[in-house]
Amino acid sequence: MKNNKSFDRRGSGRNKKIYFNADDKKENKFGKKNKFDNKKRYVSTAPFRKKSPKTPKENDGTRLNKYIANSGICSRREADIFIQNGVVEVNGKIITEFGYKVQPGDEVFFDGRYIRPEKNVYVLLNKPKGYISTTKDEKARKTVLDLVANASPYRLYPVGRLDRQTTGVLLLTNDGDITKKLTHPSHEIKKIYHVTLDKKVSVEDFGKLLEGLRFEEGIAKVDKISYIEGAPKNEVGVEIHIGWNRIIRRMFERLGYKVEKLDRVMFAGLTKKALKRGYWRILTDLEVNTLKML
C-alpha cells in the first residue's frame, strides 16, 4: 500500500485533506465497484462551524398602493389608478410610479388630505330593519354606521349592501382589498337568505328561479332553493351569489309574489349565530384568515 499523501488546498478546499488510496477497490453488495474507486477522498479537518446569522435587510419601505389601501381609502388596484392620475403626493411631490415605496417618516397626501395606515378592523353586524347600508344619507335616515359607531376608531365601510327593509348579516371593514374581493362578481361569494312571502311558493316556480329570469343586468338565477324545515310553505331558503340591487325581491315579484320579510343568514361563510338583531361583534382571526382565502 502506498503511503497516504495529503496537502492543503486554498479556496473551497481549505482545511481539508485529500487522501489517495490505490488499493481501495472493494465491491459493494451488488458486486459492483464503488463509484469512488481510485478517486480522491475528501475529509474535512476543520471543526464544524455554525452559519453566521444573516444580516437583516434594511427597511425598504411599503409600496404606495398598499399604503393607501391600508389607510382605508380603497383597494390596491383602485389605488394604482389614483396614483396614475396624480392624486397622491409624498413629501409634497406628486408620485405616479406604481412601484414607489413609502419610507418611515414620509408624509403621504391623498387628494390633498394627509393619510396614514390604519389597523384593519372587521365587524359583523346583525342588521335590523330601518337602517340603510351607506356611509351617509342626504335624507338624514339612520345608517348602519350608527349601529357600529363604537366598534372602531377608524372609519368603516359596508361590504355590499342590504336594502332598508332587509335584515341579517352585514360585514363592515376598513380593508379595501377584502371589500373589493367580496363584492367582485368573479369571486361568486355565496349568500343565503330566509325569504318570507305572501303566499306558498310552487315547485314550478322553484324551477323557474333555478333556470333563471331575464333582467336588464342579464340572467338572474338562484343556486339553490328549498322550503324551510318546520315552517309554512311560504317561507323558503335561497342561496345565491349574484349581488344585483334588490335582486331577491325583484325575482319573486316577477313571478307574482310579494316579499314580506328578507333576512340574510349567511354571507361569505359568516353567520349571525348568537348575535342579536342590532348588535355587532369583531371577527376572530380565524374568520379573517378564512375570508382572505376565499
Side-chain angles (χ1 to χ4, degrees):
M1 179 182 295
K2 295 182 180 180
N3 291 331
N4 288 334
K5 298 180 181 179
S6 66
F7 61 92
D8 290 335
R9 274 191 167 185
R10 295 182 179 180
S12 62
R14 184 174 293 180
N15 293 325
K16 294 183 179 180
K17 290 185 177 180
I18 303 175
Y19 292 87
F20 299 97
N21 192 337
D23 296 331
D24 189 10
K25 298 182 179 180
K26 296 179 181 179
E27 295 183 350
N28 60 24
K29 63 181 180 180
F30 299 106
K32 296 181 180 180
K33 293 181 180 179
N34 294 319
K35 64 180 181 179
F36 295 110
D37 287 349
N38 291 329
K39 293 187 177 180
K40 298 175 182 178
R41 306 284 180 90
Y42 293 88
V43 180
S44 175
T45 59
F48 290 105
R49 296 191 182 101
K50 292 183 179 180
K51 292 183 178 180
S52 58
K54 294 182 179 179
T55 304
K57 295 181 179 179
E58 295 181 1
N59 190 330
D60 57 355
T62 303
R63 288 180 68 94
L64 184 54
N65 62 351
K66 181 179 180 181
Y67 188 97
I68 296 170
N70 289 347
S71 300
I73 302 295
C74 57
S75 69
R76 293 190 198 184
R77 187 171 297 178
E78 291 169 330
D80 283 333
I81 297 174
F82 287 122
I83 293 169
Q84 188 178 22
N85 291 334
V87 178
V88 185
E89 294 182 21
V90 179
N91 299 328
K93 179 183 177 182
I94 294 176
I95 302 298
T96 56
E97 302 172 34
F98 288 129
Y100 185 89
K101 292 192 175 181
V102 180
Q103 303 299 327
D106 284 349
E107 293 186 342
V108 181
F109 289 82
F110 181 90
D111 198 20
R113 179 168 60 92
Y114 175 72
I115 62 172
R116 61 181 179 180
E118 301 174 347
K119 177 183 178 182
N120 287 334
V121 180
Y122 308 87
V123 177
L124 183 68
L125 171 69
N126 186 353
K127 177 188 172 299
K129 277 187 178 182
Y131 289 81
I132 58 175
S133 302
T134 56
T135 55
K136 54 185 176 181
D137 181 57
E138 296 177 354
K139 300 179 181 179
R141 292 175 294 182
K142 295 180 291 187
T143 75
V144 291
L145 294 185
D146 297 328
L147 296 169
V148 298
N150 298 323
S152 166
Y154 310 121
R155 187 171 180 81
L156 301 176
Y157 299 87
V159 179
R161 293 186 178 185
L162 293 179
D163 65 50
R164 190 178 182 186
Q165 299 306 313
T166 300
T167 61
V169 178
L170 181 65
L171 178 65
L172 299 100
T173 182
N174 59 343
D175 186 334
D177 287 335
I178 281 288
T179 299
K180 183 72 173 179
K181 181 178 183 179
L182 296 182
T183 54
H184 198 280
S186 64
H187 291 282
E188 298 188 346
I189 298 301
K190 183 169 72 173
K191 299 170 277 282
I192 298 178
Y193 292 84
H194 182 162
V195 189
T196 303
L197 303 147
D198 61 337
K199 58 185 177 181
K200 176 184 174 181
V201 185
S202 69
V203 175
E204 180 183 355
D205 285 336
F206 275 16
K208 292 179 180 178
L209 292 166
L210 289 166
E211 184 177 348
L213 303 172
R214 180 172 292 280
F215 293 90
E216 291 180 2
E217 300 94 329
I219 301 294
K221 59 183 178 180
V222 303
D223 299 319
K224 295 180 182 178
I225 183 170
S226 64
Y227 295 117
I228 301 293
E229 185 176 353
K233 299 299 183 182
N234 67 320
E235 296 185 32
V236 295
V238 173
E239 180 181 316
I240 195 169
H241 66 268
I242 57 177
W244 302 345
N245 185 37
R246 301 182 70 256
I247 191 58
I248 296 288
R249 295 182 186 275
R250 291 161 60 196
M251 291 178 76
F252 279 103
E253 287 170 1
R254 174 68 62 85
L255 297 176
Y257 298 90
K258 179 182 178 181
V259 176
E260 295 183 339
K261 293 181 182 179
L262 184 59
D263 183 43
R264 186 158 73 180
V265 297
M266 194 276 285
F267 171 73
L270 302 171
T271 69
K272 55 189 178 66
K273 183 179 180 181
L275 191 61
K276 294 181 180 180
R277 190 85 73 204
Y279 285 74
W280 57 266
R281 68 174 177 83
I282 301 295
L283 294 192
T284 65
D285 290 341
L286 178 59
E287 289 172 324
V288 173
N289 289 334
T290 301
L291 289 179
K292 293 180 177 180
M293 290 188 293
L294 290 176

